Amino acid sequence: MRGNIRVFCWCRPLSKDETSSSKKSVVDFNGANDGEIMVTVTETTKKTFKFDRVFTPKDGQGVIYADVSPLVTSVLDGYNVCIFAYRQTGSGNTFTMEGTKRDRGVNYKSLEELFKIVNEREVTYKYDLSVSILEVYNEQIRDLLATPSSKNLEIKLDRDKSSHVPGITDAKVKDINEVWNILQTGSNARAVGSNNVNTHSSRSHCMIFIKVRAKNDLNGECTSSKLWLVDLAGSERLTKTDAQGEQLNEAKYINRSLSALRGVISALAMENSHIPYRNSKLTYLLQDSLGGNSKALMLVQISPSESDASETLMSLSFASCLRHIELGPAKKQVHSAQLQNTRQMKLSRKVRKLEKDLQNLKSKAKGDEQLCKDLQEKVKELEGRLDSKAHSQITSEKQQRLLSGKLKEKEQEHQPSIVEQKVTPIGFTIFDSAMWIVFCYCLFCQNKVLERKLKEQEHQRSA
């Protein structure tokens, strides 16, 4: 959601007392489907108001929350969200926000859905949820979860103009079973009273603060967002409530803080350079929700009774003015430092892996280098052997040539005719040398045979 603050309007049904005293409804819901509501001012005058959504008295808690839900769940995506209920006293505001054990209100349903989505996303996201409950009572901030309840806590602003209350109780919640007890503890500690209009009138502004820290395991993105669920005390007309003593003092503080809220709304609508957030603890706490980059929704609740017509018109006029405030685009609350740390850790792990791979490659290269040296030595050894064999071959060839020369000499001595034949082998090879030896041997043998025959012939002659 971007742009203006969204405004929903809900009208409660006439009470039993109002029906029994024949009070009439001055509210017309014929244009409710189009976001319009009409109020009868006089018998001849009617005034129409336009909102983002209009709920009739027949619409229950489930119908109302169905339209609130998308805004609530966006806090899990890293966006700041503020939902506050505004009304005149006795219009059913507290019932809408708190509800009962049988009919839960916006507060419980919001946390219930948050935990449901947290469980659905547990594969890729890790969430950490905490709840704080405080009230602004007579311009003092009280921690409703502290025992005993702490008083007069201070508001601090972060560098990004985000408000927080140091020292507030931060209750960690891990499942929905813990939520109801925490909400009940805060509700029971809230200041209430009784007046002519409401027997159980809230005397303070109750604010539930839900802190959500998330981490995306896929990309390492970390967000830190917050959800404000604010139940504003109802505006009171003192002449009607007949408040006295302490209640009168409480009513003055309530009206003063609501007046400060209207002043801030008016200044924002007029785009003034100065916005009086510090005029009230209420507006100071809501500073980053009203004028920052949050998503904001107001639930304005009215009474249909003719006896409350003036308060109804005032509430609707205020809500209509609020609807025209331009917030600008909502900004995702990415925790840059944590995201940087996460990315740094991932980068470190990647660097360590690369270093390990490099070391393995170096070891392998070293082994390959040793193998290369061994192969080079083997090559040298083989070359040495080859040189030795070549030398032996040359020596053998020399010996063969020497032997061939001697054989030739002997042949010339015993067989001049044969020796006279010119045998000039050209280009002797090892094979030619072997054949020449065989040839010489054959000549030698033939020579021996001839010598034996000559001896025999000489012997016969002598005989």
Side-chain angles (χ1 to χ4, degrees):
M1 182 184 73
R2 59 176 295 159
N4 300 352
I5 296 176
R6 301 187 70 187
V7 180
F8 292 171
C9 177
W10 178 70
C11 181
R12 68 166 174 80
L14 289 169
S15 66
K16 292 181 180 179
D17 291 340
E18 290 168 341
T19 303
S20 61
S21 59
S22 301
K23 297 292 184 180
K24 295 180 181 179
S25 174
V26 294
V27 181
D28 185 352
F29 300 100
N30 290 333
N33 291 336
D34 297 324
E36 292 184 352
I37 189 170
M38 185 180 294
V39 179
T40 302
V41 181
T42 64
E43 292 182 359
T44 58
T45 307
K46 292 185 178 181
K47 192 169 184 179
T48 303
F49 298 90
K50 178 76 174 179
F51 299 107
D52 296 287
R53 187 77 164 85
V54 172
F55 301 101
T56 69
K58 295 180 181 179
D59 294 325
Q61 300 274 42
V63 176
I64 297 173
Y65 184 72
D67 283 309
V68 176
S69 172
L71 197 64
V72 171
T73 55
S74 65
V75 72
L76 293 178
D77 299 322
Y79 294 94
N80 289 338
V81 179
C82 179
I83 299 174
F84 54 106
Y86 177 86
R87 89 289 190 197
Q88 72 254 34
T89 187
S91 64
N93 193 56
T94 301
F95 172 76
T96 301
M97 296 304 289
E98 294 184 5
T100 63
K101 200 166 186 177
R102 293 183 178 180
D103 193 10
R104 310 286 193 182
V106 171
N107 294 345
Y108 182 88
K109 287 182 180 293
S110 297
L111 283 160
E112 184 178 41
E113 186 165 15
L114 290 183
F115 277 111
K116 178 184 175 183
I117 297 175
V118 165
N119 293 331
E120 292 173 352
R121 297 182 181 179
E122 63 181 355
V123 177
T124 54
Y125 285 86
K126 285 185 176 61
Y127 287 101
D128 181 22
L129 275 68
S130 60
V131 179
S132 301
I133 304 179
L134 54 90
E135 70 173 351
V136 180
Y137 174 76
N138 290 357
E139 280 302 296
Q140 292 185 351
I141 297 176
R142 300 171 60 193
D143 184 353
L144 299 184
L145 295 182
T147 307
S149 179
S150 57
K151 298 180 181 180
N152 205 22
L153 297 172
E154 295 299 322
I155 303 171
K156 300 292 182 182
L157 289 182
D158 296 329
R159 293 179 180 178
D160 59 352
K161 303 298 183 182
S162 177
S163 60
H164 70 283
V165 181
I168 197 78
T169 301
D170 196 29
K172 303 291 183 183
V173 284
K174 296 182 178 180
D175 55 64
I176 192 60
N177 296 326
E178 301 176 359
V179 170
W180 181 251
N181 291 334
I182 291 175
L183 294 180
Q184 284 298 103
T185 299
S187 179
N188 294 336
R190 186 180 182 184
V192 296
S194 176
N195 55 43
N196 290 345
V197 177
N198 190 359
T199 57
H200 192 77
S201 175
S202 302
R203 314 310 294 165
S204 66
H205 308 297
C206 183
M207 310 177 75
I208 298 176
F209 175 65
I210 302 164
K211 186 76 173 178
V212 179
R213 297 175 182 85
K215 180 182 178 182
N216 187 328
D217 290 334
L218 297 179
N219 58 20
E221 181 182 72
C222 300
T223 58
S224 181
S225 51
K226 57 187 178 182
L227 169 63
W228 282 105
L229 299 172
V230 184
D231 178 15
L232 298 173
S235 59
E236 297 184 10
R237 183 164 291 187
L238 301 181
T239 56
K240 193 172 183 179
T241 59
D242 195 26
Q244 297 179 357
E246 185 61 28
Q247 287 191 1
L248 177 61
N249 190 49
E250 292 170 346
K252 288 180 179 178
Y253 275 110
I254 291 171
N255 290 340
R256 189 181 302 166
S257 61
L258 291 176
S259 177
L261 179 60
R262 285 191 287 269
V264 167
I265 299 301
S266 177
L268 287 170
M270 295 175 66
E271 298 183 356
N272 292 349
S273 58
H274 172 69
I275 311 298
Y277 291 113
R278 298 198 181 213
N279 285 357
S280 169
K281 295 287 181 67
L282 172 66
T283 52
Y284 197 14
L285 272 173
L286 296 177
Q287 176 174 344
D288 56 335
S289 298
L290 293 174
N293 43 31
S294 300
K295 299 182 179 183
L297 167 67
M298 170 182 273
L299 282 167
V300 58
Q301 301 183 60
I302 59 174
S303 165
S305 176
E306 58 183 340
S307 60
D308 298 325
S310 59
E311 288 87 351
T312 297
L313 284 170
M314 184 176 66
S315 297
L316 293 175
S317 297
F318 172 66
S320 181
C321 179
L322 185 75
R323 187 169 178 261
H324 296 291
I325 294 176
E326 179 71 32
L327 284 180
K331 183 181 178 182
K332 196 170 186 177
Q333 304 300 306
V334 178
H335 201 302
S336 56
Q338 195 168 355
L339 176 60
Q340 186 176 358
N341 289 338
T342 303
R343 287 178 176 173
Q344 187 67 33
M345 289 175 62
K346 282 191 172 183
L347 183 62
S348 298
R349 286 197 295 268
K350 193 174 288 185
V351 168
R352 286 196 296 270
K353 185 178 182 301
L354 290 174
E355 288 177 346
K356 187 177 179 181
D357 292 343
L358 180 61
Q359 190 64 33
N360 292 336
L361 288 173
K362 284 182 177 179
S363 299
K364 187 177 179 181
K366 192 174 182 180
D368 292 342
E369 185 179 353
Q370 184 62 40
L371 179 61
C372 184
K373 287 181 179 180
D374 294 341
L375 289 174
Q376 287 176 351
E377 291 178 359
K378 193 73 174 176
V379 168
K380 287 180 180 179
E381 182 184 350
L382 291 173
E383 287 177 345
R385 289 181 183 180
L386 186 60
D387 291 341
S388 177
K389 287 183 178 180
H391 180 71
S392 299
Q393 184 176 349
I394 293 171
T395 304
S396 177
E397 288 177 353
K398 287 180 179 179
Q399 291 176 351
Q400 289 174 3
R401 285 195 295 271
L402 182 61
L403 180 60
S404 297
K406 289 181 179 180
L407 288 173
K408 286 180 181 180
E409 291 176 359
K410 288 183 179 181
E411 288 174 359
Q412 290 175 357
E413 292 175 357
H414 297 288
Q415 272 187 330
S417 60
I418 297 175
V419 175
E420 287 175 358
Q421 297 178 4
K422 291 184 178 180
V423 180
T424 312
I426 300 174
F428 276 112
T429 63
I430 296 175
F431 177 74
D432 295 332
S433 299
M435 292 299 293
W436 175 253
I437 292 170
V438 172
F439 176 70
C440 292
Y441 181 73
C442 291
L443 290 177
F444 177 74
C445 292
Q446 188 177 6
N447 213 12
K448 288 292 183 182
V449 172
L450 291 173
E451 286 179 358
R452 191 169 55 250
K453 286 181 178 182
L454 288 173
K455 286 179 179 182
E456 286 176 358
Q457 289 178 0
E458 289 178 358
H459 182 69
Q460 288 176 0
R461 286 176 184 172
S462 62

